[in-house]
Amino acid sequence: MELESLTIGQYEFVQNAFSFGLAVMAATTLFLWFSRGLVTPNYRMAITISGLVTAIAGYHYLQIMLSWQSAFSVTVDTIETTGSPFNQAYRYVDWLLTVPLLLVELILVMKLARGETISKSVWLGGAAALMIILGYPGEVADTAGVRFTFWVLSMIPFLYIVYQLVIGLRGSIDKQPENVRGLINGAAYLVVVSWLFYPIVFLFPLIGLTGGAAIVAVEVGYTIADIVAKAVFGLLILAIAIRKSENETG
Amino acid sequence: MELESLTIGQYEFVQNAFSFGLAVMAATTLFLWFSRGLVTPNYRMAITISGLVTAIAGYHYLQIMLSWQSAFSVTVDTIETTGSPFNQAYRYVDWLLTVPLLLVELILVMKLARGETISKSVWLGGAAALMIILGYPGEVADTAGVRFTFWVLSMIPFLYIVYQLVIGLRGSIDKQPENVRGLINGAAYLVVVSWLFYPIVFLFPLIGLTGGAAIVAVEVGYTIADIVAKAVFGLLILAIAIRKSENETG
Amino acid sequence: MELESLTIGQYEFVQNAFSFGLAVMAATTLFLWFSRGLVTPNYRMAITISGLVTAIAGYHYLQIMLSWQSAFSVTVDTIETTGSPFNQAYRYVDWLLTVPLLLVELILVMKLARGETISKSVWLGGAAALMIILGYPGEVADTAGVRFTFWVLSMIPFLYIVYQLVIGLRGSIDKQPENVRGLINGAAYLVVVSWLFYPIVFLFPLIGLTGGAAIVAVEVGYTIADIVAKAVFGLLILAIAIRKSENETG
Amino acid sequence: MELESLTIGQYEFVQNAFSFGLAVMAATTLFLWFSRGLVTPNYRMAITISGLVTAIAGYHYLQIMLSWQSAFSVTVDTIETTGSPFNQAYRYVDWLLTVPLLLVELILVMKLARGETISKSVWLGGAAALMIILGYPGEVADTAGVRFTFWVLSMIPFLYIVYQLVIGLRGSIDKQPENVRGLINGAAYLVVVSWLFYPIVFLFPLIGLTGGAAIVAVEVGYTIADIVAKAVFGLLILAIAIRKSENETG
Amino acid sequence: MELESLTIGQYEFVQNAFSFGLAVMAATTLFLWFSRGLVTPNYRMAITISGLVTAIAGYHYLQIMLSWQSAFSVTVDTIETTGSPFNQAYRYVDWLLTVPLLLVELILVMKLARGETISKSVWLGGAAALMIILGYPGEVADTAGVRFTFWVLSMIPFLYIVYQLVIGLRGSIDKQPENVRGLINGAAYLVVVSWLFYPIVFLFPLIGLTGGAAIVAVEVGYTIADIVAKAVFGLLILAIAIRKSENETG
Ligand SMILES: CC1=C(/C=C/C(C)=C/C=C/C(C)=C/C=O)C(C)(C)CCC1
Ligand SMILES: CC1=C(/C=C/C(C)=C/C=C/C(C)=C/C=O)C(C)(C)CCC1
Ligand SMILES: CC1=C(/C=C/C(C)=C/C=C/C(C)=C/C=O)C(C)(C)CCC1
Ligand SMILES: CC1=C(/C=C/C(C)=C/C=C/C(C)=C/C=O)C(C)(C)CCC1
Ligand SMILES: CC1=C(/C=C/C(C)=C/C=C/C(C)=C/C=O)C(C)(C)CCC1
Ligand code: NA
Ligand code: NA
Ligand code: NA
Ligand code: NA
Ligand code: NA
Ligand code: NA
Ligand code: NA
Ligand code: NA
Ligand code: NA
Ligand code: NA
């Protein structure tokens, strides 16, 4: 990344975006955990995990924000890089943990048979972890060729997950009560759409997008995608769980 | 802002005001969450959100206070600016998150039909978010013209919200139980009055108010407005929820 | 304050007193909140607020301790002032918030009629806030005359509160169950006696008490007074609430 | 203390002991508070206080550890003192608060009549506080004579407490249910034995034990004594409370 | 350790692994404690302790990560050691506390008779503590001979524990309900297999494995082993407890 090309305004905008991401994740965590009492015990684990995902993300936004601040020395008039690297890889650490959990959330809220829950969690969660692990060597690679190779490898589990969400879960979704089917479909599509952002951004350096504006676009874009994929998604899971709880208790 | 013109006494007074704001927000958060047990489940979400709003504000007062401290180097006898910028934009980050939630609080405590709750939350919350987003480019602008233009744009959703609170919610408020109607009216007017402070202060630099005294007035004024709009408002929402809970259970 | 005149031993004694104050406040907070389950819902709010008061005080003792540490540079053999001011005004920030709440605690534990509770809270709490606000300009004043003037002004609400506690609450106290009347009387007198310390200390600089020993006396004295007025008082309120709960349920 | 005589290995061993102490205290606190649900309400206060004692100790181990780290400048090959003093007096701050509470724990778990509980708590707790207060001037004294004098004075309340635990509580212990008498006796003797460590160590500097090895012995010894007197003792109190709760409910 | 031989990429990979370990431990702690409500009171203590183990590990990963960061000075282009030592001994502090608790977890979830629970906890927990204590002098030793000697001594309690888990607990395991026997066996083997990693790594310096790649292997390997032995194991204990709770209530 060409951190040197950032203006003060761009630096501060990204800093504000990270702080916003941190606040959203922390607030969503608390909201989800306070709302556990609104759903029947069947769905508590889904909500607990939704909150864990945003809690983990909040921790990583704190680390990312600190790393960002330490990479720059800013005064009212000037901005300079300090030489301290901006550790973007915290995102991979975050994803390795949260991306599988996001899929588990979705599976848990469907309340399938125990065996199916476990097998789907293992397959989808495992694919998600593999996707992140395969992306990391590309992210830290020095050459465009290596970067691209790992992008291709990582796309395989990615496409498998997309296929499962769009086609493979069809049967399970159709067995859901009518008044939540729309919401669950929405959650599945939200995953597909918001996740698309990540492999696309990964290609930016390959097509020469690396200046100040590109950095802003990437960091702010990631933050928005994360908020959609974790916080908005978590609230959607809560809405589904509340509605299903109402169905079941009365 | 002309930070250089501040005296030590002014610096410390603002620092004390920020610390006060932080303490008020944190204490209100805890008080609201401890009081969740006093209201029926119907109103818990309103109280949870009231506490989230003050929690988010507490986080931002911490950030603002740290940014303030790092902008000055103070000894017993002297005060100097360090060159490190005072990041006032944390207020915008805060508002983007809390201002929509404040309106959602008010809507939730009315306990309208689910559809109405959602539509009013989306419209009023969306307008509030738009208002803040349109204000930001004006806040960080270099010229008075740009500042003023975004003020005008931001005033459009602002006036829409005021209109809704004063006229649009009339029907819903009239359907509330008699013994809370006064409180809810009070809450709606509290919003209108306390919010007025923000667009007025925004105009200060345009009319040349930027010296030490103006900075003190703005920062202390914001702190008081925030306490009214968030903490006092949150306690009012709690009072309404308690009274409605009493109505419904007894 | 003549911070230069402190010895290492005096510096460390005050530092230890602040750390002690912080630990007492934090521990009392946790104890009070854990004990909420011991009282009937009628008295929970009194206990919640007692704990909030000590929590807020704990936060301010942390700030005071950090400010104290940054004002001195200490080694095994030497002590020097760093020039960084010791911000005693955090006490005022603390008082503005906690002193009204202390009176509200006392009123709540009496369980008067709702109207009386509100009116007494507003009058006594308002007088307490006014007392602190009037004291602040005196505290930061440069001349003895200004200091004395604001002392006089601040004494007016102070004496009003004392009068109310000793005479005005008489009727309400006499209506309390017999086995708690002694405790409530004790709480009212504890307030009067422990509060007396503050306006007296305020006069010290006027009578020339400012050297190292005086600083130690003031800071340690404040800490003891705070512990009595907040922690001991809070535990007394808890004892009253437990006894009244036993009366009412058994 | 002759901090200069420490080797790197000794420095790190003590640092690790402090970190261990901190972790033990924090973990014990959480364990005790999670276990409150296992005992009847009669014994909850004893468990709450046991956890408070370890929480307060955890806070002080953090302060002690930070003070230790700031007293030395360590690299892979060298160790030097920085001149910043190692504030051992945090232990006194800790004791002043926790030693009385430890005796209160023991009294509470016996569930004596209310009057006896209060009088024994006041007498034993008061003696414990006096013991610590009398020890402090000796600890910070410059001459061996003063140190010894305050040791003697502090021993008076110490011996009173030992007497009470071994003889004075005999009658109350004999009235305890048979299946907990052994545990309560054990707890009383644990106090006597573990407390003995403190006045003995206090004499070390008087007999010339001050080099690196002595510092290690004292600091690690204190940490072990603290763990026995607070964490192990607290778990013993929990075991007594659980057993008595079983007796009473079933 | 030859910290000088690390590349920037290796440094960052280890840093990311530590941060990952910290996040996993913290998230598992919260998940376990939130799940206490899913098991009958009989198994709550096992779950509480599982969460304590991961909480303690989280604290130590934080300390390890901070120690790692302070040992290196990194910029975008260069990496240097600062001379500040990387305190690997935090792992021993962690183990001394958590390794006995891990065995207690396993014993508690079996719900043996009280006497057996206590005796097995004392014997297995004691052996585990001894194993760690005997390993420490080897870890900090300067010569290969001393290192090897303590490895041998530490292997004695290690092998005792392995024997107990594979043979000694057989009888107790066979008395478990059929539908959890597999899971408990799995947990016992998971302990054996994951623990093997530690004594093997301990031998690395003896066989000359100390360069950058070896450091990465050791630190990342420890992190993975810790996650398996604490977090995965804790979740397995939870699964056993949930299944046994279902057996017993339904
Ligand atoms: C396919 C692909 C990737 C996919 C990443 C994804 C899908 C990340 C999702 C993250 C989420 C949902 C975070 C939530 O906050 C990588 C790793 C960039 C590497 C290049 C190829
Ligand atoms: C209309 C307008 C504004 C309105 C801001 C408001 C209404 C903020 C409310 C904040 C609250 C309620 C905070 C609570 O703590 C801006 C953005 C200054 C920009 C200029 C025009
Ligand atoms: C009358 C008077 C004062 C009174 C202060 C009081 C009464 C403070 C009480 C503080 C408490 C109770 C704190 C609890 O922790 C001031 C402001 C010093 C100014 C001079 C005149
Ligand atoms: C008699 C005596 C002392 C006793 C100290 C004791 C008994 C401390 C107990 C501390 C405990 C139990 C801490 C728990 O963590 C002093 C003050 C050293 C001074 C010298 C004489
Ligand atoms: C036998 C042996 C050892 C065993 C260590 C073990 C078995 C550690 C287990 C740690 C766990 C389970 C941590 C969980 O997070 C040592 C001390 C390396 C010293 C050399 C000999
Ligand atoms: Na910086
Ligand atoms: Na992320
Ligand atoms: Na500063
Ligand atoms: Na604000
Ligand atoms: Na200092
Ligand atoms: Na105070
Ligand atoms: Na140091
Ligand atoms: Na201690
Ligand atoms: Na570093
Ligand atoms: Na470890």
Side-chain angles (χ1 to χ4, degrees), chain B residues 9 12-13 15-16 19-20 22-24 26-27 30-31 34-35 38 65 69 74-77 238 242-243 246, chain C residues 3 33 36 41 44-45 48-49 52 55-56 59-60 63 82-87 89-90 93 96-97 114 136:
Chain B
E12 292 197 331
F13 188 59
Q15 159 66 20
N16 289 333
S19 186
F20 182 71
L22 167 50
V24 170
L30 289 167
F31 183 77
F34 272 119
S35 302
L38 299 177
M65 192 170 85
Q69 288 173 352
V74 183
T75 69
V76 174
D77 300 311
L238 176 63
I242 289 177
R243 204 166 286 185
E246 286 167 2
Chain C
L3 296 178
W33 286 341
R36 286 173 87 241
R44 295 245 164 98
M45 203 178 271
T48 304
I49 291 179
L52 273 184
I56 294 168
Y59 163 73
H60 285 103
Q63 291 277 32
T82 58
S84 173
F86 172 49
N87 184 354
Y90 279 125
V93 180
L96 184 53
L97 206 42
R114 184 175 282 194
Y136 186 75

Side-chain angles (χ1 to χ4, degrees), chain A:
Chain A
M1 282 194 297
E2 297 174 2
L3 296 179
E4 307 74 31
S5 49
L6 278 183
T7 65
I8 294 184
Q10 287 173 331
Y11 165 81
E12 291 197 330
F13 189 60
V14 171
Q15 159 65 19
N16 289 333
F18 289 157
S19 186
F20 183 71
L22 167 51
V24 169
M25 294 303 179
T28 307
T29 302
L30 289 167
F31 184 76
L32 287 167
W33 286 343
F34 272 119
S35 302
R36 286 173 85 242
L38 300 177
V39 305
T40 56
N42 280 327
Y43 299 107
R44 296 244 165 99
M45 203 179 272
I47 306 309
T48 303
I49 292 179
S50 301
L52 273 183
V53 165
T54 47
I56 295 167
Y59 164 73
H60 285 103
Y61 269 97
L62 178 63
Q63 290 277 33
I64 288 171
M65 192 170 85
L66 295 177
S67 180
W68 181 255
Q69 288 173 353
S70 78
F72 297 94
S73 163
V74 182
T75 68
V76 174
D77 300 311
T78 61
I79 178 165
E80 277 168 48
T81 55
T82 58
S84 172
F86 172 49
N87 185 354
Q88 241 194 331
Y90 279 125
R91 295 200 178 279
Y92 282 78
V93 181
D94 177 74
W95 297 343
L96 185 52
L97 205 43
T98 57
V99 177
L101 289 177
L102 285 170
L103 295 171
V104 171
E105 272 178 51
L106 185 62
I107 294 162
L108 279 177
V109 89
M110 290 195 197
K111 213 181 68 172
L112 310 173
R114 185 176 282 195
E116 221 181 328
T117 298
I118 294 176
S119 82
K120 282 202 193 309
S121 294
V122 169
W123 278 98
L124 283 172
L130 190 67
M131 171 183 82
I132 304 304
I133 290 170
L134 287 172
Y136 185 75
E139 180 71 39
V140 298
D142 289 327
T143 69
V146 178
R147 191 173 188 96
F148 186 69
T149 308
F150 283 98
W151 182 85
V152 171
L153 291 174
S154 179
M155 282 303 284
I156 300 169
F158 179 80
L159 292 172
Y160 167 77
I161 294 167
V162 169
Y163 175 85
Q164 286 298 324
L165 290 181
V166 177
I167 316 281
L169 285 180
R170 190 77 3 248
S172 309
I173 293 177
D174 288 346
K175 277 182 241 136
Q176 296 291 314
E178 214 194 300
N179 66 346
V180 298
R181 226 176 284 155
L183 281 172
I184 292 191
N185 259 321
Y189 280 112
L190 187 92
V191 168
V192 173
V193 172
S194 66
W195 290 30
L196 265 177
F197 184 80
Y198 301 89
I200 293 172
V201 165
F202 187 91
L203 295 175
F204 276 20
L206 296 183
I207 54 173
L209 282 170
T210 58
I215 290 172
V216 173
V218 168
E219 296 305 330
V220 175
Y222 269 142
T223 305
I224 294 170
D226 278 5
I227 288 173
V228 174
K230 285 172 174 156
V232 175
F233 180 74
L235 295 174
L236 209 48
I237 295 290
L238 176 64
I240 294 167
I242 290 176
R243 203 166 289 185
K244 289 184 79 173
S245 297
E246 286 167 2
N247 285 349
E248 288 167 28
T249 59

Side-chain angles (χ1 to χ4, degrees), chain B residues 11 66-74 80 82:
Chain B
Y11 165 81
L66 295 176
S67 180
W68 181 255
Q69 288 173 352
S70 78
F72 297 94
S73 165
V74 183
E80 277 169 46
T82 58

